[in-house]
Each structure stands twice: as structure tokens, then as C-alpha cells.
């Protein structure tokens, strides 16, 4: 059994033309023996964003802090805030954007082979 | 894409001799097209507990609110509180107990075929 908190987990900045102001943490993953899925946490600075992309696996999300939007397949921007759960299906275009003045932080679960 | 919040999700009380003061919600599951894993949320009243048991699949947890303990394989009680992540491996004995004066609420992810 592993019990941990975000302040004990290494933070890595994502560097790419498609990403701005995003760091990633991996509180639970393969290295912990997770047989099926990994729990990642992304922190997005005000004005920051993740890539607008799709992939053949899902995301299951929980918003820990802040507010922002998820840009959908159709380009619509759906509001999210602390306490929201989101399910992004395999193949769906998506992008997380922080439209607020404070950090947007969310859990993003993926199948273990993707992380 | 589905976005939801706990106040929009049906709450079911768990009824069993091994459980006390526990309700379950399923913000994301099979019915939402989740291909691999389900996001459940358990709320445990002060003094309440989940079964002390094991099963051949894992739990991946995030504590949303409150404080309590996880009773482990050896009988040890490990403290948990809002903000903690936990990984319970397949086959590990475990029990969540609310040892505080307010509700203990946590996300409990399992492979979709278990929920």
C-alpha cells in the first residue's frame, strides 16, 4: 500500500510548442505496481494550456483546484472548476485551458501503458 | 465528453454487516462509455467503515474531504486526510475507517468490470 501527497511527488514541466505553463506529477503509476491505470496530476498556470489533440485512450479527470475550460471536438469551451469530474472518450479532441487567475489543477487518469 | 459534479450523481447507501455509514456514488462508469476504469466516490460518516477485505483487483484513491485511517494487511492503521493519494494493490487487505468528526469522502477507482 502506498499513501502519498502532491508535495511529496516530483514535478516536471512539460515542454512543447503545443503546451504552455503546465507541470505534471505522477502520484500513482507503474513504479508503484499499478496494474491498470496511472494517476497523474497536471497544474496549469493562468493562461496556460495542454495540447489540443486526441489519442486512442481515454482520460478520466477530477478537478482539484481552480477554474478553466475543456475545448471539445467541436471547438466549444466547456467550463470546469474544482469538484468537477470529466470523462474524455478515446479519439475525442480535447484541450484543458486555464482561463482564471489562479492555478488549475486536475487529476488525469490514463491506462498504465500510456504513462 | 461528460462533465459532472457529485451533487448531480445519485447516492446509494451500502447495506451489509461489514459496512457502516457508507454511501456510494458513480460519477464516471461503464454507462458513460468508460473503457477501462470506473470512478466511484464513497462518503463515510463519523465512526463508519468499509469492509475489511481483499480482492484480486486494485484500488486507486484520492481523499476529497475529511480524515480517517486505512487498516492494512498487518492490522496497522495508516492515517489519511484530504489531499492524500493511496494505492491498494490486488490481494491486499484494507478497510477505510472514519476516525474524525466530519464526513470522510474519497475517490476509489477500480477496473470497470468491478463496477
Amino acid at each position: 500500500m502506498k499513501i502519498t501527497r502532491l508535495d511529496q511527488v516530483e514535478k516536471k514541466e512539460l515542454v512543447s510548442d503545443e503546451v504552455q505553463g503546465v507541470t505534471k506529477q505522477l502520484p500513482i503509476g507503474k513504479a508503484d505496481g499499478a496494474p491498470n491505470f496511472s494517476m497523474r496530476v497536471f497544474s496549469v498556470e493562468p493562461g496556460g494550456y495542454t495540447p489540443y489533440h486526441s489519442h486512442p485512450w481515454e482520460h478520466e479527470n477530477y478537478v482539484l483546484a481552480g477554474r478553466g475550460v475543456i475545448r471539445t471536438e467541436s471547438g466549444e469551451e466547456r467550463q470546469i472548476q474544482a469538484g468537477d469530474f470529466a470523462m474524455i472518450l478515446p479519439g475525442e479532441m480535447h484541450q484543458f485551458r486555464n482561463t482564471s487567475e489562479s492555478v488549475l489543477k486536475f487529476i488525469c487518469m490514463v491506462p498504465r501503458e500510456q504513462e
Side-chain angles (χ1 to χ4, degrees), chain A:
Chain A
M1 187 179 303
K2 176 186 181 181
I3 299 174
T4 189
R5 301 177 65 76
L6 287 180
D7 57 14
Q8 299 169 345
V9 178
E10 190 191 3
K11 226 170 174 172
K12 283 191 183 160
E13 196 179 343
L14 300 191
V15 180
S16 149
D17 289 350
E18 295 181 306
V19 171
Q20 190 173 298
V22 180
T23 56
K24 182 169 80 168
Q25 291 171 282
L26 183 60
I28 293 175
K30 271 187 234 182
D32 307 306
N36 293 295
F37 36 98
S38 294
M39 290 186 105
R40 312 176 305 174
V41 172
F42 292 96
S43 299
V44 185
E45 296 299 319
Y49 48 83
T50 65
Y52 184 50
H53 68 177
S54 72
H55 36 66
W57 59 90
E58 73 279 24
H59 286 325
E60 295 186 18
N61 300 107
Y62 176 75
V63 183
L64 296 168
R67 285 180 302 108
V69 298
I70 304 177
R71 191 176 167 203
T72 70
E73 183 89 18
S74 67
E76 184 196 1
E77 297 198 334
R78 294 187 62 184
Q79 303 287 327
I80 52 168
Q81 60 177 309
D84 283 348
F85 292 81
M87 159 97 236
I88 297 169
L89 294 167
E92 266 192 315
M93 287 291 286
H94 60 279
Q95 179 183 48
F96 290 82
R97 302 186 73 95
N98 185 348
T99 55
S100 77
E101 304 299 312
S102 62
V103 175
L104 170 66
K105 192 174 290 204
F106 58 91
I107 296 175
C108 183
M109 312 246 348
V110 291
R112 83 192 274 281
E113 59 270 26
Q114 306 308 333
E115 182 64 58

